[in-house]
Amino acid sequence: QVQLVESGGGLVQAGGSLRLSCAASGSIPSINVMGWYRQAPGKERELVANMASGGSTDYADSVKGRFTISRDNGKNTVYLQMNTLKPEDTAVYYCRIATYKVTTRALSNYWGQGTQVTISS
């Protein structure tokens, strides 16, 4: 089992910055992808950014150039630096880790509890 604990959400004005953190604990296979999703009221959950254990990244078009994902593999922690925030970035942000265990060929997904990010105009 893997547990995820998120932190760093809050209320900021448009144009401001926030940094989200997500620490994973438990039995974590070395092959994994850690990332952030968000869900605004009345909308489906969407990918914000992912980063694989090997370092490759993937961003939603809406955040490219403003958000940066990074990770510390030694601490099993993923970060999301969010700059130039816009009111449309307001959502609950969820951390996710997808893992692949080579010995069992098992794919697993784990989610954090979510952290609220609110951007005022």
Side-chain angles (χ1 to χ4, degrees):
Q1 282 290 342
V2 177
Q3 295 78 42
L4 300 171
V5 178
E6 302 143 336
S7 61
L11 170 65
V12 297
Q13 289 187 332
S17 299
L18 280 174
R19 189 191 194 212
L20 305 182
S21 300
C22 173
S25 61
S27 179
I28 304 170
S30 60
I31 300 174
N32 62 74
V33 177
M34 295 188 76
W36 295 92
Y37 288 71
R38 66 187 181 186
Q39 187 166 18
K43 295 188 177 181
E44 294 186 354
R45 192 173 296 188
E46 63 177 3
L47 170 70
V48 177
N50 269 333
M51 188 169 190
S53 47
S56 61
T57 58
D58 186 26
Y59 290 92
D61 288 342
S62 60
V63 307
K64 285 180 181 177
R66 300 188 297 122
F67 292 9
T68 302
I69 191 169
S70 61
R71 56 187 289 172
D72 183 335
N73 288 333
K75 295 181 179 180
N76 291 320
T77 299
V78 65
Y79 306 95
L80 185 69
Q81 179 65 44
M82 304 186 292
N83 298 329
T84 318
L85 284 160
K86 304 175 181 180
E88 52 263 43
D89 294 318
T90 295
V92 177
Y93 283 68
Y94 296 91
C95 177
R96 186 204 77 161
I97 183 169
T99 66
Y100 177 68
K101 195 170 184 180
V102 174
T103 54
T104 59
R105 301 184 181 181
L107 290 167
S108 301
N109 270 307
Y110 302 91
W111 293 88
Q113 78 283 1
T115 185
Q116 178 70 46
V117 171
T118 303
I119 313 303
S120 62
S121 57

